[in-house]
Amino acid sequence: MARVYNFSAGPSVLPEAVLKQAADEMLDYKGSGMSVMEMSHRSKVYDNIIKEAEKDLRDLLAIPDNYKVLFLQGGASQQFAAIPMNLMKNGVADYIITGQWAKKAYEEAKKYGTANAIASSADKTFSYIPDCSDLPISEDADYVYICHNNTIYGTAFKELPNTKGKILVADMSSDILSQPVNVSDYGMIYFGVQKNVGPAGVVVVIIREDLIRDDVMPFTPTMLKYKTQADNDSLYNTPPCYGIYICGLVFKWVKEMGGLEAMKIHNEKKAAILYDFLDSSKMFKGTVVPKDRSLMNVPFVTGNDELDAKFVKEATEAGFVNLKGHRSVGGMRASIYNAMPIEGVQKLVEFMKAFEEANS
C-alpha cells in the first residue's frame, strides 16, 4: 500500500528519509551487530548517539552554553508537575491560558503553589492570542508560562509576552524546529517530540543552568528533579533510547534541509497554500483570527457537522488521513509539521476544491 498523507496532530508524520535510514539500521547499527533498541544506554555506541543528538539540537537552535539539554520520559504532560516543583521558589507562578494544554499545566501547578491565570482567550474558544504587552504579572512570580503553539485551536504566539523581568517558560511541543528561536528569551523551553521531532515517549527540556537547583520542593521525586537529570547527562536511569536515536536522525534531516531559517520559509509556503484556499472558499472556513494563525496546525469547519463528517470520511478514503478535529472542538484540523511535504498540502487543497464543487 502507498503511504498516505498523514495530517495527524501527534504522533505525526516523520521524514521518509529518516524512516528509511532507521529501517536500514534496524538490525545492525553501524557495524555494532545489533539494533539501537537492543543496546545498553551505558555503551560507547549509545553514548555517541545521545551526545550527537544533543550537539545537533544545540547547533540548530544556537543554544547558549549556559543552558542544559535534557532528554527525558513522561511526555510533556509530566512537565506540568515537574516545572512548579523545580521552579516555584516563592510558590507563585503566572499562566497565560491560550488552550487546553496551557489550562492543564495551570490546573496542575495549583497543586504546588499559587498559580494565577493572568490572561486567557477562553472567551472566544481560544481562537486568538490575548494582548500580552502589559499583563498583571505577580510581583513574586517565579515564572510566566505559555504554550507557544496551540495544537488543538491552531493559534501561535508571534510576539512573546512582556514578562516584566520574570523568566518565561514555554511549551513548544507542536512548533519546535519549525522556525528559529532565540533560546535566551526563555528560562526554559520544553517539548514532547511526537509532533515535529520523533516518536512518542521522549520530552526534551532546555533549561538555563541557574534554574537547576537542589532546593526544590522537598517531596519532588528524584526522577523529576532537573538536577538529577542534568548531573547525569540524561542517563540517571535508562532513557527512551530508541526514541532519542530517531530524534537525532530528525535533527540531522533538519540540518540537511537548510536549518531553521529554511524550515520557516518551507512552512510559511505550505501554510499559505491552505490558508489562502480557506480565505477564498465558500464552504470551508478557518477558525482562528488571521494574525494569530499557527504555521503547524490549521483548524477549519464547514459550519455543518454532517458535512464535516462526510468530508473527513471521503478525505480518508482518498488517502488524506487524521483530518478530524480534536474531540473537544470537532470540525477538521490539518497538522502540517516539518515532515509534511508541500505536495501533501497542495493535493489536500485540490481535494477540498473538488469536494466543495461536488457538495455545494
Side-chain angles (χ1 to χ4, degrees), residues 121-128 153 329:
S121 51
D123 60 329
K124 293 183 179 165
T125 330
F126 301 118
S127 59
Y128 70 102
Y153 301 96
V329 290

Side-chain angles (χ1 to χ4, degrees), residues 80 95-103 105 129 145-151 155-157 168-175 190:
F80 298 167
Y95 281 69
I96 297 168
I97 315 293
T98 50
Q100 196 164 305
W101 302 115
K103 191 172 177 221
I129 297 287
Y145 181 102
I146 61 169
C147 181
H148 196 265
N149 182 88
N150 298 289
T151 326
T155 60
F157 278 86
L168 183 61
V169 172
D171 173 356
M172 289 195 180
S173 294
S174 52
D175 67 343
Y190 74 97

Side-chain angles (χ1 to χ4, degrees), residues 5 30 79 151 171 199 212 220 259 266 315 335 344 353:
Y5 287 112
K30 295 194 172 171
Q79 295 304 310
T151 326
D171 173 356
I212 301 172
T220 306
H266 173 65
S335 293
K353 281 178 181 166

Side-chain angles (χ1 to χ4, degrees), residues 73-113:
Q73 346 197 17
S77 296
Q78 188 160 275
Q79 295 304 310
F80 298 167
I83 289 163
M85 283 185 204
N86 282 272
L87 301 187
M88 266 189 179
K89 224 173 176 177
N90 303 322
V92 181
D94 290 347
Y95 281 69
I96 297 168
I97 315 293
T98 50
Q100 196 164 305
W101 302 115
K103 191 172 177 221
K104 283 186 172 180
Y106 160 69
E107 294 294 345
E108 188 69 21
K110 283 197 222 170
K111 296 176 182 177
Y112 307 104

Side-chain angles (χ1 to χ4, degrees), residues 78-297:
Q78 188 160 275
Q79 295 304 310
F80 298 167
I83 289 163
M85 283 185 204
N86 282 272
L87 301 187
M88 266 189 179
K89 224 173 176 177
N90 303 322
V92 181
D94 290 347
Y95 281 69
I96 297 168
I97 315 293
T98 50
Q100 196 164 305
W101 302 115
K103 191 172 177 221
K104 283 186 172 180
Y106 160 69
E107 294 294 345
E108 188 69 21
K110 283 197 222 170
K111 296 176 182 177
Y112 307 104
T114 304
N116 305 302
I118 55 169
S120 171
S121 51
D123 60 329
K124 293 183 179 165
T125 330
F126 301 118
S127 59
Y128 70 102
I129 297 287
D131 177 6
C132 296
S133 57
D134 185 20
L135 297 165
I137 306 278
S138 312
E139 220 163 281
D140 50 354
D142 293 301
Y143 59 88
V144 177
Y145 181 102
I146 61 169
C147 181
H148 196 265
N149 182 88
N150 298 289
T151 326
I152 295 174
Y153 301 96
T155 60
F157 278 86
K158 304 292 165 77
E159 276 177 44
L160 293 181
N162 173 7
T163 64
K164 301 180 181 174
K166 302 297 180 187
I167 71 158
L168 183 61
V169 172
D171 173 356
M172 289 195 180
S173 294
S174 52
D175 67 343
I176 195 71
L177 301 189
S178 64
Q179 57 192 348
V181 173
N182 184 19
V183 174
S184 53
D185 287 343
Y186 305 84
M188 173 179 158
I189 291 167
Y190 74 97
F191 52 94
V193 304
Q194 72 278 10
K195 297 168 187 295
N196 223 8
V197 181
V202 184
V203 61
V204 179
V205 167
I206 302 166
I207 182 168
R208 217 170 60 209
E209 284 177 349
D210 61 298
L211 300 174
I212 301 172
R213 308 188 319 263
D214 249 338
D215 59 333
V216 296
M217 293 185 180
F219 49 78
T220 306
T222 305
M223 282 290 293
L224 293 192
K225 286 182 184 174
Y226 296 136
K227 189 156 184 5
T228 303
Q229 303 292 351
D231 287 351
N232 291 279
D233 297 326
S234 306
L235 294 168
Y236 174 74
N237 71 327
T238 312
C241 298
Y242 196 79
I244 294 166
Y245 153 72
I246 299 285
C247 292
L249 296 185
V250 171
F251 299 152
K252 288 202 182 304
W253 176 81
V254 174
K255 280 181 150 183
E256 280 161 24
M257 294 289 284
L260 300 190
E261 285 291 352
M263 284 318 316
K264 181 173 191 250
I265 293 163
H266 173 65
N267 288 323
E268 284 173 343
K269 265 189 204 160
K270 273 193 303 195
I273 292 165
L274 188 45
Y275 285 126
D276 288 351
F277 169 68
L278 290 173
D279 290 342
S280 65
S281 168
K282 290 187 169 60
M283 177 181 282
F284 297 100
K285 293 280 167 285
T287 58
V288 172
V289 171
K291 74 176 178 60
D292 296 329
R293 283 170 167 172
S294 165
L295 284 180
M296 298 282 99
N297 310 99

